Amino acid sequence: MIERYEIRLAGEGGQGLILSGLLLAAAVAVFDERNAVQTQSYTPLVRGAPSRSEIVISDGVIDFPEVIAADCLVALSPGAFRDFSDAVKSEGRILVDSELVSLDGVQPRAQVLGLPFTRLAREKVGKSLAASTVALGALAELTHIVRLSSLEEAVRMRAPQGTEELNLRALKVGAEAARELAAVGRASA
Amino acid sequence: MQETTTEIRFASPKRYIEESLIFKKSQLGEVGFLSGNEACAYGALAAGLSFYAGYPITPSTEIAEILSYRMPALGRVFIQMEDEIASMGAIIGASLTGRKSMTATSGPGFSLMQENLGYACIAEVPCVVVNVQRGGPSTGSPTSPAQGDLMQARWGTHGDHPIIALYPASVQEAFELTMVAFNLAEKYRTPVVFLMDEVIGHMREKVVFPKEGQIPVLERRKPPKGLERFQPFAEDGGLVPPMAAFGEGYRYHVTGLHHDPAGYPTLRPDEINRWFERVFAKIEQNLDEILLYREEDLEDAETVVVSCGITARSARAAARSARARGQKVGTLTLQTIWPFPEKVLRQLGSRVRRILVPELNRGQLILEIQRCVRNPEVEIRGINRLDGGVITPAQILEKLEERSWPGNSH
């Protein structure tokens, strides 16, 4: 039973964060049969400007649709990490693109996990634009807040035409990378 | 006076929705995951929208975008006009030929539409005008939510006139109330303003598409064929005179001047007066159908939070928290914002002690509530935010718990 679980996907315009938020929320709301609301914030400038997508998940009614204190932050840019890492609950999680975001000087209360989402997207999926979908796959594996199979269903239904296979591969790549990261974590613990 | 009858036919919304929007068929029906703007566009199609003219503007653009390809695909008309003045003119003209017509805009465009909106009022032309509000005045904050157009929706055009304005607080409501907006426009021969918040327009939620016949689709009443003389504003045809479509046989005069039952300009005080009496009566005598609102936990409430749109979502969350802490708080969410539900507020004022009105403006809704609640024992306070953010449940809760409320001091 989830009362309220809040996810913030943050980065820059052009990284596919709005679409990822839609896919994640749709997967939860329609295929996991929970309630989910997705909101977004963007500036009129489009590419390169700060962009974010927020998802609230609950088994009950969701009145307020925006993030109050995030349970999970996915940060795909240094600015996103700097601006939002303090707004994550201490028992929450932060996933960062480890090659784009430097952790120097910022010590959030929440646990920080780094994976090279953009490099994985470029090298294993063939398109760096798929970085945010790679991150979704990792998020599903690490938080279990959404079933990977539900994300796949959402991709099949709603990813832009012609990008379904690419996005499905991206989900898989992200989930595998997260599994490896978790295994390394267990081994070193 | 003769009873107004309206032809009713049922439509399956499914026919107007792209297959790709339906994620899943469940027991409830077909389930999609949509934004408020998408829901508004598809709700309009489901209601029988057959003519759209508009000029895209943030944060309403998705409505025009979707209709730009769905309307031609369904054999209906979409026109991108040169500006919002022309857009409003175009939908009035199309409606006079019998088309269900709509335009969508935001604050700056809504201002430009006001003159022709008045024309639709005086000529009693059914149409739906969507205003996805943004921060204003002027260009303001195009991508930020604001609720600054409540009064513009009521009094934006000049002269005395009735108007209907609806206001959804969820994506499901955006779909359903858009259908209702068309029904009210057609049934009462009036423009209907559809106010949305930027957050509702861009927020995505699960939508269960209404099943076939679940929401009726109303058509305007037309005169019988073969009349010797057709009077477009006849006084003996009920409060809402039948409306002939241009191109179907009857020729008649339409003007922005005050007019007689035949549609020709008049300066006769008795005719002008009868027109005013009738157009106000057709709304005021049908408030039971027109006024839509949602009450939550009002039975024993001492404090009521009255709001609309996105602010109502925060109000409900805050009210629940306050109840959990032992405060008797309820909420009233207005889905019909105009005509204002005066009686509902007056009655509320006779049984509660405090009314809190959160809104994303400097206090527009609260003015109406102060006007209606004449009980001096009731304390009415507002929460206002204009910086582009939304009012949070925490802000409302904090206000509810302020010690300065009468009765809160102990």
Side-chain angles (χ1 to χ4, degrees):
Chain A
M1 183 77 189
I2 297 170
E3 198 174 316
R4 195 175 170 96
Y5 189 94
E6 302 181 339
I7 301 169
R8 181 176 273 138
L9 310 176
E12 294 170 350
Q15 286 182 317
L17 292 156
I18 306 287
L19 176 66
S20 293
L22 163 64
L23 293 174
L24 172 55
V28 171
V30 181
F31 299 108
D32 284 349
E33 295 191 349
R34 299 199 138 110
N35 285 320
V37 183
Q38 185 245 336
T39 55
Q40 58 202 37
S41 166
Y42 63 105
T43 67
L45 297 165
V46 194
R47 263 169 220 277
S51 169
R52 67 175 196 264
S53 181
E54 300 183 347
I55 301 98
V56 178
I57 297 167
S58 174
D59 284 317
V61 175
I62 301 169
D63 283 317
F64 189 63
E66 296 183 358
V67 166
I68 299 166
D71 295 275
C72 182
L73 166 70
V74 176
L76 297 188
S77 73
F81 182 65
R82 190 186 55 237
D83 291 347
F84 297 117
S85 54
D86 281 346
V88 182
K89 291 176 185 165
S90 53
E91 66 277 21
R93 281 214 176 114
I94 303 174
L95 311 187
V96 299
D97 189 310
S98 52
E99 291 184 3
L100 297 181
V101 176
S102 156
L103 306 184
D104 293 347
V106 183
Q107 280 196 316
R109 296 165 300 167
Q111 181 192 19
V112 182
L113 298 165
L115 280 170
F117 298 124
T118 308
R119 181 162 60 79
L120 288 169
R122 198 172 49 241
E123 292 175 359
K124 295 199 173 174
V125 185
K127 203 160 196 172
S128 54
L129 202 61
S132 55
T133 319
V134 174
L136 279 191
L139 180 140
E141 184 64 35
L142 292 168
T143 65
H144 299 293
I145 190 68
V146 58
R147 285 202 299 255
L148 196 62
S149 61
S150 299
L151 281 175
E152 287 168 354
E153 293 244 42
V155 163
R156 280 190 206 102
M157 295 296 297
R158 200 61 196 268
Q161 228 172 6
T163 70
E164 295 91 342
E165 287 309 313
L166 182 136
N167 276 303
L168 287 173
R169 200 156 64 241
L171 284 178
K172 214 168 143 210
V173 165
E176 276 166 13
R179 262 196 296 279
E180 283 167 30
L181 182 75
V184 171
R186 272 196 300 277
S188 62
Chain B
M1 220 167 261
Q2 188 182 320
E3 187 68 21
T4 303
T5 56
T6 310
E7 228 183 280
I8 296 178
R9 83 184 156 81
F10 294 102
S12 164
K14 190 188 144 193
R15 280 194 288 150
Y16 311 114
I17 294 156
E18 290 160 277
E19 273 302 313
S20 65
L21 277 182
I22 298 164
F23 276 101
K24 197 173 161 180
K25 294 183 194 336
S26 77
Q27 274 188 322
L28 292 168
E30 280 149 332
V31 178
F33 197 75
L34 274 72
S35 72
N37 282 347
E38 288 173 316
C40 175
Y42 289 106
L45 290 171
L49 171 69
S50 62
F51 183 93
Y52 181 95
Y55 187 86
I57 179 172
T58 300
S60 73
T61 305
E62 293 82 3
I63 297 171
E65 185 188 356
I66 290 164
L67 295 174
S68 73
Y69 59 83
R70 286 305 290 163
M71 293 288 277
L74 293 162
R76 306 176 189 182
V77 181
F78 172 95
I79 307 179
Q80 179 166 329
M81 301 299 292
E82 65 268 38
D83 61 31
E84 290 87 349
I85 300 174
S87 303
M88 192 64 216
I91 68 165
I92 291 170
S95 183
L96 286 166
T97 71
R99 301 269 188 157
K100 287 191 178 178
S101 304
M102 178 172 101
T103 187
T105 188
S106 186
F110 193 49
S111 294
L112 289 176
M113 290 177 181
Q114 292 303 331
E115 184 183 2
N116 274 337
L117 186 61
Y119 191 96
C121 289
I122 202 164
E124 297 176 76
V125 179
C127 55
V128 175
V129 179
V130 180
N131 172 10
V132 187
Q133 297 166 90
R134 66 191 222 183
S138 191
T139 313
S141 302
T143 58
S144 299
Q147 301 180 314
D149 300 349
L150 264 58
M151 287 298 172
Q152 190 182 206
R154 180 64 193 91
W155 295 115
T157 197
H158 56 278
D160 277 300
H161 59 279
I163 196 104
I164 296 176
L166 304 183
Y167 209 137
S170 69
V171 177
Q172 182 77 37
E173 283 183 8
F175 190 98
E176 294 177 2
L177 289 180
T178 300
M179 293 187 74
V180 172
F182 276 92
N183 286 346
L184 295 176
E186 297 293 323
K187 185 165 181 182
Y188 296 110
R189 263 189 88 167
T190 177
V192 174
V193 176
F194 198 72
L195 285 177
M196 284 214 281
D197 292 325
E198 182 277 338
V199 191
I200 303 287
H202 285 155
M203 175 171 90
R204 291 187 177 89
E205 286 184 299
K206 185 155 53 183
V207 170
V208 180
F209 295 111
K211 283 183 189 158
E212 190 156 352
Q214 201 174 328
I215 299 178
V217 171
L218 306 186
E219 304 292 335
R220 73 186 64 163
R221 195 160 66 114
K222 287 185 177 178
K225 287 196 169 72
L227 292 179
E228 208 163 291
R229 187 159 154 268
F230 165 64
Q231 290 210 320
F233 304 96
E235 291 163 354
D236 56 2
L239 292 172
V240 187
M243 189 175 171
F246 278 91
E248 290 181 3
Y250 293 114
R251 292 195 309 168
Y252 63 96
H253 194 249
V254 183
T255 173
L257 292 161
H258 286 134
H259 43 265
D260 64 18
Y264 292 107
T266 183
L267 281 173
R268 269 176 52 184
D270 60 328
E271 286 181 336
I272 296 171
N273 225 357
R274 280 206 299 276
W275 181 84
F276 271 111
E277 291 302 320
R278 181 176 59 74
V279 295
F280 275 94
K282 73 181 177 184
I283 303 299
E284 286 163 2
Q285 291 184 18
N286 291 288
L287 292 179
D288 283 349
E289 185 182 28
I290 295 168
L291 294 182
L292 305 169
Y293 50 89
R294 184 176 146 180
E295 299 173 330
E296 217 168 277
D297 291 332
L298 285 193
E299 303 74 30
D300 63 340
E302 290 174 354
T303 308
V304 177
V305 190
V306 184
S307 56
C308 53
I310 185 63
T311 314
R313 313 266 299 223
S314 302
R316 287 177 208 149
R320 261 193 273 282
S321 302
R323 275 216 172 244
R325 298 183 194 186
Q327 266 191 295
K328 288 180 178 164
V329 180
T331 57
L332 173 66
T333 304
L334 305 181
Q335 296 168 311
T336 301
I337 202 92
W338 304 115
F340 198 74
E342 297 174 5
K343 213 168 112 190
V344 177
L345 266 299
R346 250 200 311 280
Q347 284 168 353
L348 200 64
S350 68
R351 59 194 175 97
V352 302
R353 300 171 69 185
R354 312 175 197 94
I355 295 177
L356 181 60
V357 191
E359 48 187 327
L360 300 176
N361 55 47
R362 282 274 284 173
Q364 297 188 19
L365 185 56
I366 199 171
L367 294 175
E368 284 299 301
I369 295 168
Q370 285 164 336
R371 179 175 71 80
C372 298
V373 178
R374 299 192 199 116
N375 179 355
E377 303 288 305
V378 180
E379 177 90 0
I380 303 170
R381 292 184 185 179
I383 303 179
N384 309 93
R385 185 166 182 183
L386 296 103
D387 64 358
V390 298
I391 294 171
T392 62
Q395 266 179 288
I396 297 175
L397 197 59
E398 192 184 339
K399 191 83 178 178
L400 286 171
E401 291 181 343
E402 268 177 13
R403 285 185 166 272
S404 59
W405 285 97
N408 258 19
S409 48
H410 50 81

